[in-house]
Amino acid sequence: MTRSVGLSQTERTINNQNKPYHPKQHPKTGSFFSLYSPKFSIYLLITCALLFILFQIQSLQTPPSSPSSSPLPSWAFLNQWQKVIINTTPSTSTFNNDENNLTKSMAKKLRESVTFLPLKDLRYSSTAQQGHTWFMSSMYDTHEEGEAQYQRFPSSASKGRLLCLKGNDTHDGAWNSYALAWPEFLPDNSTLRKGITFVSYNHYNYDNIWHGLSAMVPFVAWHNKNQCSLIPARWILYHWGELRIKMGPWLKSLMQATFGEPLHIETFENSVANCFEDAVVMRHNEGGMSRQKRIEVYDLLRCKARIYCNVSLEGRLSEVNRRGMPVIGMTMFMRVNNGPRSFKNESAVIGIFEKECTKVEGCRFIVAYSNNLTFCEQLRDLRQIIPGDSSPGPSALLPVDHGMLTRGSKESLDDSTLSSLLSAQH
Ligand SMILES: *[C@@H]1O[C@H](CO)[C@@H](O)[C@H](O)[C@H]1NC(C)=O
Ligand SMILES: *[C@@H]1O[C@H](CO)[C@@H](O)[C@H](O)[C@H]1NC(C)=O
Ligand SMILES: *[C@@H]1O[C@H](CO)[C@@H](O)[C@H](O)[C@H]1NC(C)=O
Ligand SMILES: *[C@@H]1O[C@H](CO)[C@@H](O)[C@H](O)[C@H]1NC(C)=O
Ligand SMILES: *[C@@H]1O[C@H](CO)[C@@H](O)[C@H](O)[C@H]1NC(C)=O
Ligand SMILES: *[C@@H]1O[C@H](CO)[C@@H](O)[C@H](O)[C@H]1NC(C)=O
């Protein structure tokens, strides 16, 4: 009780800054002393301790040459105390203000020091696909044995910083840029995008199913590594740093089947900075992945595609011909685009393969056009054609050791090879 009275008195003194301290209060304090002697001595002790602390604060804030550091008589001491209280109150808040100002100015500086660099670094145009590549060239990939090379933001490699991307140029990647920023100090006017973002770099394009799939494989591997639990909230597709907002329908279907929901491909309708809560960047396709990992990815793709298309393998018997020989299905999957890579004389090519097929007993030849079949139609057609038991296993269908999946010779693979990769049985 006494103590609380004493404290409230102190508070009043602190609050009534304008009212000068009056020595008339002394006799009153004296009467308290005589009435509550034992308790009051404790009170006095506490007050003295408080005064001592306050005095110390004051002496810290005043230069050592000031008279406050010299011993003072009691009245002068109390006078000094009053000054301390009066001075300390604003000076403490000044100190806090300074600290706040400092924190604020540091935060401002951190936000302003976020530096955007061009996504496409022309200094490395001759080694565009090697090492740190020319895409986000200041960043290095994380590479675990046998896994796809990747970058994750935030991570210890990024020192906890998030990836920010700016720009929506679709013709020159040097106009789009990237930066790293700490989540507490994102650049001014930037938007924080929640969830997982997949950022893909593709040296070719996302329409061709071979090039497109090559760019997707490391993401599927990453997804698989995370027990298929992390579904991307958005995909950001780049080609030479240029934004791409579309993916071929075949690839899109396959990715939809794999991730279990439609893809959200980022379009960046404005050019302000976007920072991503969690981003995974892949720029080496399946580079760095072991053969085993690639097989796992294709297995997963096959499974997911079958589920998506409701293709059941049950009740399917290996077809046999009249003489009990297993039927060997041969499907030519044609891509009709009349482009530079189409056959000059399609019927001539078809004729050659058909002739070869007739030489083999039990061979059945079919020509299919992938452009007018839906993704699931392709899968079903091929399922019906390729016999389960005599078909080669997935390892034979992924001839990575023969250079077919390695860079430089991938032109040798066409859409039909890929489709058969997906529809092959074990
Ligand atoms: C804090 O900063 C603002 C502007 O930057 C300035 O006006 C103000 O005086 C500063 N306060 C202190 C206590 O330094
Ligand atoms: C943020 O946006 C405001 C209003 O659009 C603009 O005035 C300001 O310059 C922008 N700041 C930066 C750093 O772009
Ligand atoms: C890119 O952003 C600008 C505004 O910053 C906008 O006018 C333009 O339409 C955007 N381009 C695309 C392709 O979304
Ligand atoms: C697969 O089956 C489900 C339910 O039977 C159906 O809703 C879905 O449309 C089917 N998907 C395809 C691609 O046929
Ligand atoms: C294409 O090849 C077939 C069979 O070899 C031939 O009959 C036909 O004339 C050729 N067409 C053209 C346009 O060369
Ligand atoms: C698919 O396209 C090919 C060539 O364009 C054509 O010959 C064939 O009849 C088409 N099939 C269907 C089912 O439309």
Side-chain angles (χ1 to χ4, degrees), residues 19-45:
K19 201 163 78 185
Y21 179 79
H22 209 279
K24 264 183 190 168
Q25 280 178 1
H26 269 286
K28 204 184 166 194
T29 318
S31 71
F32 265 105
F33 182 81
S34 58
L35 280 169
Y36 305 100
S37 157
K39 279 185 183 175
F40 193 75
S41 61
I42 294 169
Y43 158 68
L44 198 67
L45 208 68

Side-chain angles (χ1 to χ4, degrees), residues 223-281:
H223 178 63
N224 200 11
K225 199 177 106 188
N226 292 288
Q227 284 80 43
C228 300
S229 58
L230 304 173
I231 305 292
R234 69 194 65 78
W235 293 72
I236 305 176
L237 309 178
Y238 286 110
H239 161 73
W240 294 13
E242 302 157 17
L243 190 69
R244 291 288 175 269
I245 57 170
K246 272 193 221 144
M247 184 187 273
W250 188 92
L251 191 59
K252 209 171 176 181
S253 300
L254 182 60
M255 290 302 111
Q256 182 170 339
T258 305
F259 291 94
E261 56 177 53
L263 263 56
H264 303 286
I265 299 174
E266 187 61 57
T267 55
F268 286 143
E269 259 130 41
N270 58 53
S271 48
V272 303
N274 283 274
C275 297
F276 303 95
E277 186 180 41
D278 189 357
V280 179
V281 180

Side-chain angles (χ1 to χ4, degrees), residues 135-151:
F135 178 79
M136 288 174 58
S137 64
S138 69
M139 303 285 149
Y140 292 90
D141 298 284
T142 300
H143 190 200
E144 290 146 33
E145 185 64 33
E147 307 274 358
Q149 300 173 68
Y150 71 98
Q151 295 170 53

Side-chain angles (χ1 to χ4, degrees), residues 335-343:
R335 185 173 62 170
V336 184
N337 63 356
N338 299 319
R341 290 201 207 136
S342 54
F343 294 120

